Amino acid sequence: EKAGYDHFMLKEIYEQPKAITDTYRGRLLRDQAIIKMSGVEDNIKKFLNANRVIIVACGTSWHAGLVAEYIFEDLARIPVEVEYASEFRYRNPVINEDDILIAISQSGETADTLAAIKLAKSKGAFVFGICNVVGSSIARETHAGAYTHAGPEIGVASTKAFTTQITVLTLMALRLARAKGTITSSDYHHHLLELEMIPNKVKKALEYDNHIKTIADIYKDATNCLYLGRGYNFPVALEGALKLKEISYIHAEGYPAAEMKHGPIALIDENMPVIVIATKKGHYEKVVSNIQEIKSRKGKIIGIVTQGDEQVRELADHVIEVPETLESLSPLLTTIPLQLLSYHIAVMLGKNVDQPRNLAKSVTVE
Ligand code: F6R
């Protein structure tokens, strides 16, 4: 049941510190400096010899795939493409035995993702699944895989599935980086240490809930909303926009911050809230200049910033802090305030948060 929370979504947002811990338990062995994932270990040669990795998924799981693209390429130097399962399966894709397909799905039942897996298998590719639901169709159809161990996700809007998918993908990237020698020993250890600290930092990020609620109250009547981020946090911007759309029915778009000047900047006026992910590591100065551009057009700025930030605080209408971490792990923290913001807006608007109109928890038809 809801364990005292008003909605499953809120419960699941708050479960994230535990869910992430459950995801890396038994896999991240920091004392021994190893990452143990049998699905990867048993197939390590395939992973190391792969020409490229193709990630297929839908919705929020596709956003987790986009985050993984940055981590895999950055740490393990493996070329990655991320595809909507529905596009991949109908595109006559070039794929063969030297490719690895990673399918990401909370439910393990998404029809398009399942069809993409079958297609890749028919071309001889090795298929790895990342699912939450044990024994699901995708878990059974893949050659190997890793479960997220997030526990049941009941709210239609995906929350803990997203952060635990990113956790699994980070563990995989680190394991492969170590095997390939593309990460230094100290960087590897630093990542393991920081990853272990993430659940506590998520707890800290959750402590801003009341502050986020007051911001939600100010912007709940907006009809449009823009989410911007760069690098690792570009997919988080997409995810933030999706969360707002699906449960509050407010139109929202996520963009890479630098793309703003190629179109969306035309939308900015005093009625446009712009949520900008502007954490300290990774293109910070560039994001700050994007914020200046929004401000000079009178857009309302909500900055997601690193604890103690001063520069964005001066420019923004509101800031929401998250603890400092490695850039590669920052999506696990920056996602949290965006989940809470959409949750509170949807509740204030009287929407059915756990079961938004027209949406199903698992999309078993194409
Ligand atoms: C968003 C959401 C959907 C799912 C998508 C994929 O909050 O819930 O976008 O992420 O339908 O579902 P799975 O991961 O079950 O394949």
Side-chain angles (χ1 to χ4, degrees):
E1 259 305 300
K2 289 182 214 154
Y5 290 96
D6 290 344
H7 300 94
F8 283 109
M9 184 183 176
L10 190 63
K11 170 175 176 266
E12 289 158 7
I13 290 172
Y14 272 85
E15 273 171 356
Q16 288 175 109
K18 178 173 183 298
I20 294 169
T21 309
D22 289 345
T23 301
Y24 70 57
R25 175 174 299 122
R27 290 170 167 166
L28 194 175
L29 309 174
R30 196 166 56 81
D31 303 348
Q32 303 165 55
I34 55 173
I35 289 168
K36 215 168 77 181
M37 301 173 88
S38 58
V40 176
E41 236 49 63
D42 298 347
N43 301 286
I44 193 84
K45 284 219 172 69
K46 285 201 179 75
F47 275 102
L48 297 180
N49 295 330
N51 277 339
R52 58 173 182 166
V53 166
I54 301 166
I55 298 180
V56 294
C58 305
T60 292
S61 297
W62 183 75
H63 296 153
L66 285 178
V67 174
E69 178 176 18
Y70 287 83
I71 311 179
F72 271 71
E73 294 204 343
D74 198 6
L75 303 183
R77 309 305 295 152
I78 302 174
V80 177
E81 282 169 43
V82 188
E83 304 257 4
Y84 285 116
S86 56
E87 287 298 317
F88 176 83
R89 63 179 287 206
Y90 286 119
R91 211 193 49 234
N92 191 15
V94 179
I95 178 164
N96 57 45
E97 311 81 58
D98 299 324
D99 294 318
I100 291 184
L101 187 101
I102 299 180
I104 311 172
S105 175
Q106 188 286 129
S107 63
E109 302 298 342
T110 302
D112 282 319
T113 309
L114 195 54
I117 291 168
K118 289 181 178 160
L119 175 65
K121 278 171 79 179
S122 76
K123 307 272 186 193
F126 173 69
V127 181
F128 191 92
I130 297 174
C131 298
N132 192 39
V133 176
V134 176
S136 55
S137 303
I138 291 176
R140 284 182 280 121
E141 195 63 45
T142 42
H143 296 116
Y147 286 115
T148 43
H149 300 303
E153 192 182 64
I154 311 291
V156 164
S158 196
T159 53
K160 62 177 179 171
F162 180 66
T163 45
T164 56
Q165 286 163 348
I166 294 174
T167 303
V168 165
L169 289 155
T170 303
L171 289 169
M172 288 176 72
L174 285 166
R175 175 67 188 92
L176 298 176
R178 198 71 184 121
K180 288 188 71 179
T182 52
I183 191 169
T184 63
S185 165
S186 73
D187 203 15
Y188 175 74
H189 286 276
H190 195 189
H191 269 82
L192 297 190
L193 184 67
E194 286 288 337
L195 190 53
E196 258 186 3
M197 284 159 45
I198 286 291
N200 264 322
K201 292 183 180 183
V202 170
K203 267 184 210 157
K204 291 254 153 51
L206 289 166
E207 286 171 10
Y208 291 88
D209 198 0
N210 277 328
H211 173 57
I212 295 168
K213 205 168 166 180
T214 60
I215 297 172
D217 194 41
I218 299 169
Y219 295 103
K220 62 181 188 303
D221 299 314
T223 47
N224 288 288
C225 210
L226 197 56
Y227 287 74
L228 303 176
R230 289 179 92 113
Y232 281 92
N233 282 297
F234 156 53
V236 177
L238 296 182
E239 174 60 9
L242 178 62
K243 287 286 89 84
L244 189 68
K245 276 184 270 207
E246 61 183 340
I247 61 169
S248 73
Y249 318 145
I250 294 173
H251 174 243
E253 286 197 63
Y255 258 94
E259 276 293 307
M260 189 179 67
K261 59 172 74 65
H262 298 284
I265 198 163
L267 292 167
I268 294 175
D269 62 17
E270 66 280 5
N271 298 315
M272 178 66 103
V274 187
I275 290 103
V276 190
I277 304 157
T279 41
K280 271 277 158 58
K281 289 182 189 132
H283 321 290
Y284 178 73
E285 294 301 332
K286 289 191 192 299
V287 176
V288 169
S289 66
N290 293 137
I291 290 175
Q292 271 152 347
E293 288 160 4
I294 302 163
K295 196 176 169 68
S296 65
R297 287 160 184 87
K298 302 193 168 60
K300 297 286 182 297
I301 299 155
I302 303 163
I304 310 299
V305 300
T306 306
Q307 248 161 21
D309 177 281
E310 286 170 11
Q311 219 177 330
V312 174
R313 185 179 290 274
E314 286 234 325
L315 295 166
D317 296 271
H318 315 270
V319 294
I320 306 169
E321 294 189 331
V322 294
E324 186 166 354
T325 187
L326 295 173
E327 185 193 0
S328 53
L329 302 180
S330 64
L332 294 166
L333 303 180
T334 51
T335 300
I336 306 297
L338 305 189
Q339 293 171 343
L340 287 170
L341 185 66
S342 22
Y343 171 78
H344 288 302
I345 290 179
V347 170
M348 287 170 188
L349 295 175
K351 307 299 183 203
N352 186 344
V353 172
D354 283 335
Q355 282 186 301
R357 68 186 183 198
N358 310 340
L359 289 172
K361 186 63 185 161
S362 60
V363 184
T364 53
V365 291
E366 61 169 288

